[in-house]
Amino acid sequence: MYLYSLTLQRATGVVCAVNGSFTLELLRPDEAGRIQILHSVEVFGAIRSLAQFRLTGSQKDYLVVGSDSGRLVILEYNVAAARFDKVHQETFGKSGCRRIVPGEYLAVDPKGRAVMVAACEKQKLVYVLNRDAAARLTISSPLEAHKSHVICYSVTGIDCGFDNPIFAAVELDYSEADLDPTGQAAADAQKHLTFYELDLGLNHVSRKWSEPVDNGANLLVTVPGGGDGPGGVLVCAENFVIYKNQGHPDVRAVIPRRDDLPAERGVLVVSAATHRQKSLFFFLLQTEYGDIFKVTLDHEGGERVKELKIKYFDTIPVTSAMCVLRTGFLFAASEFGNHALYQFQSIGDGPDVEASSTTLMETEEGFQPVFFQPRPLKNLLRIDQVESLMPIMDMKVTNLFEEETPQVFTLCGRGPRSSLRILRPGLAISEMAVSQLPGTPSAVWTVKKNVNDEFDAYIVVSFTNATLVLSIGETVEEVSDSGFLDTTPSLAVSLLGEDSLMQVHPNGIRHIREDGRINEWKTPGKKTIVKVGSNRQQVVIALSGGELIYFEMDITGQLMEVEKHEMPGDVACLDIAPVPEGRQRSRFLAVGSYDNTIRILSLDPDDCMQILSVQSVSSPPESLLLLEVKASTGGEDGADHPASVFLNAGLQNGVLFRTVVDMVTGQLSDTRSRFLGLKPPKLFSAMVRGRQAMLCLSSRPWLGYIHQGRFLLTPLSYETLEYASSFSSDQCAEGVVAVAGEALRVFTIERLGETFNETVIPLRYTPRKFVLVPKKKHLVIIESDQGAFTAQEREENKKVFFEATGIGENGTANNGDQMENGGGDNDEEKDPLSDEQYGYPKAVSDKWVSCIRVLDPRTGETTSILELQDNEAAFSVCTVNFHDKEHGTLLAVGTAKGLQFLPRKSLIGGFIHIYRFIDDGKGLELLHKTQVDGVPLALCQFQGRLLAGIGPECENKLFPNTIMSIHTYRDRIYVGDIQESFHYCKYRRDENQLYVFADDSVPRWLTAAHHIDFDTVAGADKFGNIFFARLPQDVSDEIEEDPTGGKIKWEQGKLNGAPNKVEEIVQFHIGDVVTCLQKASLIPGGGECLIYGTVMGSLGAMLPFTSREDVDFFSHLEMDHMAYRSAYFPVKDVIDGDLCEQFPSLTPDLQRKIADELDRTPGEILKKLEDIRNKII
Amino acid sequence: MQASDRFNINSQLEHLQAKYVGTGHADLNRFEWAVNIQRDSYASYIGHYPILGYFALAENESIGRERYNFMQKMLLPCGLPPEREED
């Protein structure tokens, strides 16, 4: 089996983020306050750290990347080509995330003169950055600052103006602790803050200064210096923030704690951002609970620090990185869930400071803690968010709603930010207006009054016997003074020349001049106009019977008949491309006929109406569109690529046919086709980000547009539309107006470039698993959280709090619904302290909360929710039909009571609950509860019985560790062990016994498993690999033929394992922890692929190849691409589609070179890539 | 070091052991071996952000806290060292 692996939805979790002027940020907030992802690159590696720097006097920032490649890479953002250019790449060590290979930490000198790259242990390298005569960035060879047996916690560059660059590091020496059996040395182990000085004169790094620092230290933040401030660093430690500098006494303040925090827990700063202005600077430090504190330093003229003040700022979901933008925004990259952009409302200037170094109280038990209460956002205002699926906990692909394509149901997020997200392939749209019309419209157009107008002036709607004209202003209303004929249906309405309007109706052409004069052209005889194609200068009409008449605007603005042409039969459709800039006319006319052909005719005066080329197609064309595609390859501006014209044809069999038109000869080449839907696609031109794009209306609408230099054809998640036109008004710059049924709809298309759009249904706790109840179309979701309070307890605590503080008085008398709000079920806007924003209060770590929820996905309504009592938490769920069939389909839920992981895994007891569905599947009723010894992590129905994987046993003790998955097929049971990969079992009914007949020889730490076929299972392990395990055919046959089913052999045993071994037939490194696998097809008629979802929130698919030829082609295209995908096991039989899809972004020369090596043209390769993508989605 | 010593297997090993932390030797005891493995594992968890995220989910902690915990555990990953046998 050969597979093609393709990431469908990129990982949405942010590992690290920096902001800077790469002439602009990569996440750029636009004027409307929306965040736009400017650029993303797949690196085929693991990025661990990022830092940006700027050379003195320069305007542009560079980006340094620390990764698992054993290299230091410096990138520059190339605005013109919209891509990162690699400036330097310095190899310093082995690849892989290793303990002593640098890459984990990066620090840059604030003046951009040096960069330090450090490892978790021992190694630190410093590179000197400089500029050569041509102002290009240069980099030195590395200078070592290694120290053995030293663990490094954090590194930062000290701001010391233009003195020698200094880097600070928090270090811990473990050499003595490893040798002292009494534990004294370990207890005495002390973290140190060490300054490393780079002597630019001597080109040498030395340890300049080292002083003990609080043992909880975990993060360093640079304090502005060199005239702007006192310099030095803030050391963030558990519970404290300490200012330290060489020759300066420590200034320490305690980080305020939430009142309700258990005493055993510390407060750790997890992310930090610095805001610098000319005269002022402050730091925003975020704790692990989401609270942001503003830290300010009182200093005397940039010398001595007198006081360190910590003031509570606001609370936002815990971030992995925060960036303060100069424009007054804060970008918060959340650890889990959606990222957000906040606008500063104020900077928290009040004098009421929670903690300060001057009020620090030291008692016998240590420093006195300071408490505070979180409050609603005061200083920040959220203005936009970036959707993130991270983490995907479980996923199922199914067509529950009976739509054209299946939906992907994912459980995402954790704790209070958990959600069920229903993903549909396609772009999201936002509906601006829907209005009912009198009758069923057949077509709609928008038209400007003048070519220089920014917005459209009229919406013209055609009915079977009339035309309705609506003018666009403050409101949209019907008008009768537009000059359009309203007693006839219309065939086309458009702007002609500079400022005149044209209406084509079956009996003629009405040309409305700017001054109100009307010229009418009537059809000869009894003929009627059937089809029209036009642009601003040219009009071609087709009369019944197949006659074509060509008009052109002359200099006086008159529409003049130029040429006639008789076609062999009736014309099915025609189109003229827009007039190219700087030209008089467009050269080509495309005509589709009912004899399954499309002809390209010339409109040049020399050979007017000559047929240039003919293309036969599989079915009569319904609609044609000539689309100029700039930058089909390469950079976003497409500067170095000539535009090419594509002829698009919607055929009556639902296929969209695309072919390239040669700009000179009109010859057609390089055809591609794609099935869009059951209705013949109608094609319309639209504008997307200022460029021409294509709307295709079949049984669902599609959009063809250019995104990041690539042409994409993506479905829109919207209902079937009849006719559409682009729409532009001051409320909506790039919209679409469309008719469907009796309604006129205006909408805009959002989040371009994404593969899926999502519907979000919030949940209460971290979702673990879910099942579909197929008959009732309900979902049953189990949710559980460790170390949290139940909804009731939180409710009571809040009440107490509100009564105590009196917040409840001012307009928040909704205490009654707090429980629901707490669950995030209703709009949390009203809730003064929504858990979604503030996180659940922490309880002691062995306290669990959990619930079982029945949800109707169509309405998003929870029909029943059972909160488990007594510290029980649900971990597995399945539906089961027992032998006796007394209750029909039942629900089995595996739970654990009082589960503890640390210091040692322990529990009070495990249970299996059996529930019956009541109220037509909307509710649950407990039938009984069975106690078991361990945690039932896996449940599965098998031949009318329930199989439960409970710790290392499954009715008998065959399995090495903990069972995490069970699948069954016919009489086989496929068991996944958490640490020891798969075991294939059989069940002997007569002896009521299970035995293992095959297992895997590789110790896989399984995180997800899915059954593929009788002999094969797919699995994913903790280290980010996907593999397929298959029982060899002969062994499988032997077992099936053996009357004992291989039991005798099993009894004899073999080296403590099963007698047979499965083979791993596929290996692939995803680089992300895969949490769920499913075999499914995402498009009707598409190939079945293996779909996976990951912790970082990406979705991907692996498609089996159907022909050997394709395998050869793609493996040659992929060339030597091994290292990353073989990070743990050598990659086997998988083509990295993400790599292949980089082909279009290569330079044309390189593309041609690669294509030559494959004996193909670049066009063929692009087509092949498009084809295989279309098979998946 | 003399020129001839450079090719001596022992000096080469010593060089490797000095350069690459964790390179084993003939007298490596069980504890030293385990400590090494554990430190490598923690460093690997810290380096792979998705794995940190996976642990953070399991323990319901923030990723920042998980990273800190793993760093802290690198001090004594396998508990106290055994008493040295006097020989």
Side-chain angles (χ1 to χ4, degrees):
Chain A
M1 177 161 27
Y2 286 85
L3 299 171
Y4 183 77
S5 157
L6 189 66
T7 308
L8 302 174
Q9 167 91 45
R10 281 187 311 271
T12 40
V14 170
V15 180
C16 32
V18 290
N19 67 311
S21 310
F22 305 101
T23 312
L24 47 138
E25 292 86 16
L26 301 179
L27 279 162
R28 178 177 64 181
D30 65 19
E31 302 99 63
R34 296 279 184 90
I35 309 177
Q36 230 183 56
I37 294 173
L38 274 191
H39 188 61
S40 63
V41 227
E42 168 70 54
V43 295
F44 302 101
I47 293 185
R48 298 150 78 191
S49 45
L50 282 180
Q52 107 283 2
F53 68 90
R54 179 186 292 204
L55 293 173
T56 316
S58 147
Q59 289 297 311
K60 190 163 183 169
D61 285 6
Y62 293 90
L63 188 67
V64 201
V65 184
S67 70
D68 64 347
S69 63
R71 286 168 169 165
L72 182 80
V73 175
I74 298 182
L75 303 170
E76 181 181 9
Y77 188 65
N78 182 337
V79 189
R83 63 160 184 261
F84 281 111
D85 287 339
K86 190 160 69 189
V87 185
H88 286 289
Q89 172 174 305
E90 298 293 315
T91 307
F92 51 69
K94 284 191 185 181
S95 60
C97 289
R98 288 162 201 265
R99 178 156 49 126
I100 59 158
V101 177
E104 183 62 34
Y105 305 110
L106 271 179
V108 289
D109 172 59
K111 292 278 179 271
R113 296 167 297 168
V115 55
M116 174 181 261
V117 51
C120 294
E121 188 178 320
K122 186 180 168 184
Q123 296 202 8
K124 287 184 192 65
L125 297 172
V126 177
Y127 288 87
V128 183
L129 305 167
N130 218 324
R131 236 183 310 206
D132 66 7
R136 278 181 310 225
L137 179 72
T138 62
I139 188 165
S140 72
S141 48
L143 306 170
E144 291 186 359
H146 301 341
K147 190 159 193 286
S148 299
H149 309 293
V150 162
I151 301 166
C152 179
Y153 283 79
S154 181
V155 176
T156 191
I158 300 284
D159 190 353
C160 49
F162 287 99
D163 295 342
N164 277 333
I166 295 175
F167 293 98
V170 176
E171 296 178 337
L172 174 67
D173 189 322
Y174 67 71
S175 52
E176 279 171 30
D178 271 6
L179 301 171
D180 179 14
T182 63
Q184 189 57 43
D188 292 345
Q190 179 65 48
K191 285 183 189 169
H192 281 75
L193 177 71
T194 308
F195 279 16
Y196 289 90
E197 183 176 19
L198 165 67
D199 193 318
L200 287 170
L202 296 172
N203 212 19
H204 172 74
V205 182
S206 58
R207 287 169 79 87
K208 191 185 178 201
W209 177 70
S210 187
E211 195 175 84
V213 69
D214 190 288
N215 259 340
N218 71 317
L219 187 71
L220 292 176
V221 183
T222 308
V223 176
D228 297 338
V233 283
L234 284 185
V235 182
C236 304
E238 203 167 8
N239 299 326
F240 300 103
V241 178
I242 307 151
Y243 171 78
K244 272 182 101 70
N245 199 359
Q246 193 175 359
H248 192 288
D250 289 4
V251 183
R252 176 191 289 255
V254 61
I255 304 175
R257 301 167 66 86
R258 287 193 187 186
D259 277 343
D260 51 10
L261 199 64
E264 61 181 36
R265 295 196 62 103
V267 183
L268 197 70
V269 173
V270 293
S271 68
T274 310
H275 177 72
R276 279 182 86 154
Q277 279 174 353
K278 278 222 172 70
S279 55
L280 138 151
F281 62 88
F282 63 84
F283 310 93
L284 295 178
L285 305 180
Q286 189 180 34
T287 68
E288 57 186 312
Y289 312 110
D291 305 319
I292 298 182
F293 293 100
K294 177 185 165 187
V295 174
T296 45
L297 294 174
D298 256 8
H299 57 92
E300 287 168 351
E303 288 289 317
R304 294 202 76 72
V305 173
K306 286 191 299 187
E307 190 181 359
L308 190 158
K309 288 188 217 159
I310 301 182
K311 181 173 162 59
Y312 173 57
F313 193 70
D314 263 338
T315 301
I316 62 172
V318 185
T319 62
S320 59
M322 294 189 293
C323 299
V324 180
L325 309 183
R326 277 198 196 138
T327 41
F329 294 101
L330 177 78
F331 176 68
S334 298
E335 277 189 344
F336 294 102
N338 295 350
H339 313 305
L341 186 71
Y342 296 88
Q343 186 165 31
F344 284 100
Q345 300 291 302
S346 63
I347 52 169
D349 267 339
D352 49 333
V353 170
E354 270 82 12
S356 156
S357 56
T358 51
T359 57
L360 187 71
M361 297 279 281
E362 195 164 6
T363 61
E364 278 170 17
E365 292 130 39
F367 295 100
Q368 189 121 38
V370 173
F371 295 96
F372 80 103
Q373 270 293 349
R375 53 160 166 69
L377 290 184
K378 200 168 110 187
N379 301 311
L380 296 173
L381 176 72
R382 194 178 78 192
I383 53 171
D384 194 22
Q385 50 179 356
V386 183
E387 308 279 334
S388 169
L389 297 178
M390 179 177 180
I392 299 178
M393 300 293 287
D394 199 2
M395 169 203 68
K396 289 205 168 48
V397 183
T398 175
N399 197 349
L400 204 62
F401 301 145
E402 284 160 1
E403 290 171 3
E404 201 159 308
T405 54
Q407 303 88 48
V408 185
F409 294 84
T410 53
L411 294 181
C412 302
R414 82 164 177 181
R417 304 183 82 208
S418 313
S419 58
L420 168 75
R421 298 187 187 213
I422 305 169
L423 307 181
R424 292 179 173 89
L427 293 169
I429 64 115
S430 80
E431 204 166 64
M432 312 276 291
V434 180
S435 49
Q436 291 299 316
L437 294 169
T440 309
S442 56
V444 64
W445 301 270
T446 53
V447 65
K448 289 178 187 173
K449 273 187 177 161
N450 189 302
V451 68
N452 298 320
D453 283 356
E454 199 179 342
F455 303 123
D456 290 321
Y458 296 117
I459 298 177
V460 183
V461 186
S462 170
F463 298 89
T464 44
N465 53 5
T467 295
L468 177 73
V469 183
L470 305 165
S471 98
I472 308 167
E474 294 273 292
T475 56
V476 173
E477 48 200 28
E478 190 176 345
V479 287
S480 50
D481 58 349
S482 60
F484 290 114
L485 196 62
D486 57 4
T487 53
T488 167
S490 299
L491 292 170
V493 170
S494 68
L495 179 75
L496 218 54
E498 291 279 307
D499 50 10
S500 61
L501 301 174
M502 176 188 71
Q503 178 191 20
V504 182
H505 52 87
N507 297 315
I509 303 174
R510 193 177 169 90
H511 186 192
I512 306 151
R513 304 291 292 264
E514 192 256 335
D515 50 12
R517 280 183 293 150
I518 290 171
N519 298 336
E520 192 97 21
W521 180 89
K522 295 247 185 269
T523 51
K526 287 201 168 144
K527 287 192 171 174
T528 52
I529 302 177
V530 285
K531 297 287 167 192
V532 190
S534 71
N535 59 27
R536 274 186 38 226
Q537 297 290 333
Q538 299 157 290
V539 182
V540 174
I541 55 166
L543 299 181
S544 50
E547 190 179 358
L548 289 179
I549 305 177
Y550 173 44
F551 298 87
E552 230 176 75
M553 284 266 286
D554 67 5
I555 313 155
T556 61
Q558 289 276 9
L559 203 57
M560 302 298 288
E561 187 176 323
V562 177
E563 187 69 57
K564 279 187 188 171
H565 183 76
E566 199 71 39
M567 295 294 283
D570 263 340
V571 170
C573 47
L574 49 84
D575 189 52
I576 308 178
V579 181
E581 238 167 84
R583 297 282 189 82
Q584 277 257 306
R585 58 176 73 81
S586 170
R587 174 151 152 67
F588 301 120
L589 165 72
V591 183
S593 312
Y594 288 104
D595 58 356
N596 294 4
T597 54
I598 301 169
R599 292 175 173 82
I600 299 287
L601 276 68
S602 167
L603 296 179
D604 262 7
D606 319 338
D607 54 353
C608 198
M609 290 303 192
Q610 293 293 306
I611 294 173
L612 298 175
S613 59
V614 182
Q615 172 78 45
S616 66
V617 286
S618 55
S619 162
E622 166 80 13
S623 172
L624 290 174
L625 184 72
L626 287 161
L627 187 68
E628 191 172 292
V629 178
K630 270 188 195 158
S632 60
T633 54
E636 191 155 51
D637 60 347
D640 44 350
H641 302 282
S644 48
V645 173
F646 273 85
L647 171 68
N648 298 279
L651 308 183
Q652 279 187 0
N653 58 6
V655 168
L656 175 76
F657 178 87
R658 298 176 60 213
T659 172
V660 178
V661 184
D662 189 299
M663 302 280 272
V664 181
T665 63
Q667 290 299 311
L668 301 174
S669 61
D670 190 16
T671 61
R672 306 167 192 194
S673 53
R674 179 163 190 189
F675 178 73
L676 295 191
L678 299 169
K679 282 174 62 182
K682 284 186 199 154
L683 310 180
F684 303 95
S685 155
M687 291 305 271
V688 168
R689 290 193 192 140
R691 285 208 218 148
Q692 221 195 349
M694 171 174 67
L695 266 173
C696 316
L697 307 182
S698 178
S699 45
R700 57 178 170 156
W702 294 67
L703 182 74
Y705 65 106
I706 297 164
H707 181 72
Q708 291 188 357
R710 202 175 287 200
F711 185 81
L712 299 178
L713 186 61
T714 322
L716 302 179
S717 286
Y718 205 43
E719 54 197 270
T720 309
L721 301 174
E722 204 54 50
Y723 206 96
S725 177
S726 66
F727 175 79
S728 171
S729 75
D730 55 352
Q731 280 106 27
C732 121
E734 277 182 358
V736 174
V737 56
V739 290
E742 291 197 353
L744 185 74
R745 293 163 190 276
V746 180
F747 61 90
T748 57
I749 299 158
E750 300 204 319
R751 301 199 184 277
L752 293 165
E754 305 218 338
T755 323
F756 295 102
N757 74 81
E758 55 187 42
T759 314
V760 182
I761 301 167
L763 303 175
R764 188 177 287 182
Y765 308 121
T766 309
R768 303 284 160 168
K769 283 186 178 129
F770 74 115
V771 285
L772 299 168
V773 187
K775 271 186 200 155
K776 310 284 184 212
K777 301 204 167 169
H778 282 147
L779 305 180
V780 181
I781 304 169
I782 53 169
E783 304 164 32
S784 39
D785 261 336
Q786 189 185 10
F789 292 103
T790 60
Q792 288 93 332
E793 284 167 332
R794 276 185 284 119
E795 169 64 4
E796 280 158 24
N797 288 346
K798 265 191 187 168
K799 255 191 196 150
V800 171
F801 165 65
F802 286 129
E803 275 161 24
T805 57
I807 289 184
E809 292 165 13
N810 32 9
T812 49
N814 58 345
N815 279 4
D817 346 308
Q818 293 260 310
M819 192 174 131
E820 275 312 293
N821 281 341
D825 289 321
N826 291 338
D827 48 346
E828 44 297 290
E829 306 295 322
K830 285 184 206 152
D831 191 344
L833 281 177
S834 82
D835 290 315
E836 196 165 319
Q837 190 75 9
Y838 294 91
Y840 287 146
K842 289 275 177 192
V844 284
S845 64
D846 57 351
K847 193 164 167 14
W848 286 82
V849 288
S850 183
C851 65
I852 305 167
R853 178 192 297 264
V854 185
L855 189 136
D856 182 352
R858 267 160 299 190
T859 55
E861 206 176 300
T862 300
T863 55
S864 155
I865 184 159
L866 289 176
E867 186 105 15
L868 296 181
Q869 303 299 325
D870 286 345
N871 216 6
E872 245 183 287
F875 287 97
S876 56
V877 63
C878 85
T879 53
V880 60
N881 288 298
F882 282 113
H883 263 310
D884 51 17
K885 298 198 172 88
E886 191 192 318
H887 301 290
T889 303
L890 299 175
L891 183 78
V893 178
T895 67
K897 186 172 174 179
L899 182 66
Q900 241 179 318
F901 292 121
L902 294 168
R904 191 165 286 276
K905 190 171 165 184
S906 67
L907 75 164
I908 297 167
F911 297 93
I912 296 173
H913 300 224
I914 303 290
Y915 293 94
R916 187 163 65 123
F917 288 102
I918 51 170
D919 295 344
D920 198 27
K922 285 182 185 149
L924 291 173
E925 185 186 54
L926 183 67
L927 278 185
H928 70 95
K929 190 169 165 182
T930 315
Q931 179 153 15
V932 291
D933 296 337
V935 191
L937 276 183
L939 293 172
C940 188
Q941 176 183 335
F942 179 64
Q943 297 177 352
R945 293 155 197 253
L946 180 71
L947 279 175
I950 300 157
E953 51 192 292
C954 182
E955 292 184 30
N956 65 355
K957 310 208 174 205
L958 300 170
F959 304 102
N961 295 292
T962 304
I963 293 162
M964 57 73 60
S965 79
I966 304 176
H967 292 88
T968 59
Y969 186 68
R970 296 198 345 221
D971 64 337
R972 285 188 185 173
I973 305 167
Y974 310 87
V975 175
D977 186 279
I978 206 160
Q979 197 175 332
E980 291 283 349
S981 195
F982 291 110
H983 298 258
Y984 287 26
C985 310
K986 270 189 185 241
Y987 173 70
R988 283 193 77 89
R989 189 174 296 249
D990 45 349
E991 294 162 41
N992 196 22
Q993 199 188 10
L994 281 170
Y995 62 94
V996 183
F997 63 86
D999 63 10
D1000 194 353
S1001 52
V1002 185
R1004 295 278 192 170
W1005 294 68
L1006 289 182
T1007 55
H1010 191 74
H1011 168 253
I1012 301 290
D1013 64 29
F1014 194 46
D1015 290 328
T1016 318
V1017 277
D1021 70 20
K1022 195 168 88 173
F1023 308 104
N1025 304 303
I1026 286 187
F1027 66 101
F1028 282 45
R1030 176 175 281 175
L1031 192 65
Q1033 190 63 48
D1034 51 331
V1035 179
S1036 177
D1037 290 347
E1038 195 181 302
I1039 285 160
E1040 293 312 303
E1041 281 159 17
D1042 184 350
T1044 69
K1047 179 158 180 273
I1048 309 242
K1049 251 179 131 184
W1050 169 69
E1051 279 167 349
Q1052 289 160 357
K1054 188 171 161 190
L1055 299 171
N1056 296 326
N1060 305 302
K1061 296 291 169 195
V1062 293
E1063 288 173 352
E1064 301 208 329
I1065 54 165
V1066 164
Q1067 298 277 10
F1068 194 63
H1069 181 61
I1070 301 290
D1072 195 349
V1073 183
V1074 174
T1075 50
C1076 40
L1077 291 169
Q1078 201 196 345
K1079 187 172 75 171
S1081 149
L1082 288 177
I1083 48 169
E1088 281 224 308
C1089 347
L1090 184 73
I1091 317 281
Y1092 62 83
T1094 71
V1095 163
M1096 297 292 283
S1098 74
L1099 281 175
M1102 298 177 103
L1103 175 80
F1105 280 109
T1106 46
S1107 80
R1108 182 80 219 176
E1109 219 177 298
D1110 284 352
V1111 177
D1112 286 346
F1113 170 77
F1114 280 105
S1115 39
H1116 282 109
L1117 178 61
E1118 188 182 36
M1119 294 190 284
D1120 257 350
H1121 175 62
M1122 296 283 282
Y1124 175 57
R1125 297 302 183 188
S1126 311
Y1128 288 82
F1129 296 93
V1131 61
K1132 189 169 187 306
D1133 296 350
V1134 182
I1135 307 289
D1136 186 354
D1138 296 335
L1139 181 81
C1140 295
E1141 291 217 331
Q1142 303 290 310
F1143 182 78
S1145 56
L1146 301 175
T1147 61
D1149 288 344
L1150 199 54
Q1151 285 188 10
R1152 215 166 301 125
K1153 199 172 146 232
I1154 294 172
D1156 283 348
E1157 280 172 25
L1158 294 171
D1159 283 336
R1160 310 228 179 196
T1161 63
E1164 282 172 329
I1165 294 179
L1166 291 173
K1167 184 182 166 192
K1168 201 102 186 164
L1169 287 170
E1170 208 170 287
D1171 281 352
I1172 196 144
R1173 196 184 177 94
N1174 292 346
K1175 274 188 201 165
I1176 296 174
I1177 190 149
Chain B
M1 191 192 285
Q2 285 176 1
S4 59
D5 282 350
R6 199 179 302 159
F7 305 104
N8 180 326
I9 184 80
N10 280 328
S11 72
Q12 277 185 21
L13 254 181
E14 269 171 32
H15 173 73
L16 276 179
Q17 275 150 1
K19 189 168 174 194
Y20 299 109
V21 177
T23 310
H25 53 86
D27 297 327
L28 194 75
N29 67 27
R30 190 188 164 86
F31 176 80
E32 287 163 351
W33 179 82
V35 161
N36 212 359
I37 297 282
Q38 289 295 324
R39 287 208 178 109
D40 280 345
S41 299
Y42 286 129
S44 169
Y45 298 157
I46 292 162
H48 291 98
Y49 194 80
I51 296 188
L52 273 183
Y54 189 66
F55 280 114
L57 279 172
E59 296 188 6
N60 198 16
E61 293 288 350
S62 78
I63 292 176
R65 167 63 77 170
E66 283 300 314
R67 183 197 301 269
Y68 174 74
N69 285 351
F70 287 146
M71 289 299 296
Q72 293 293 79
K73 282 180 183 166
M74 282 174 85
L75 175 61
L76 276 183
C78 303
L80 293 176
E83 294 283 348
R84 199 87 52 88
E85 283 170 34
E86 301 298 328
D87 43 8

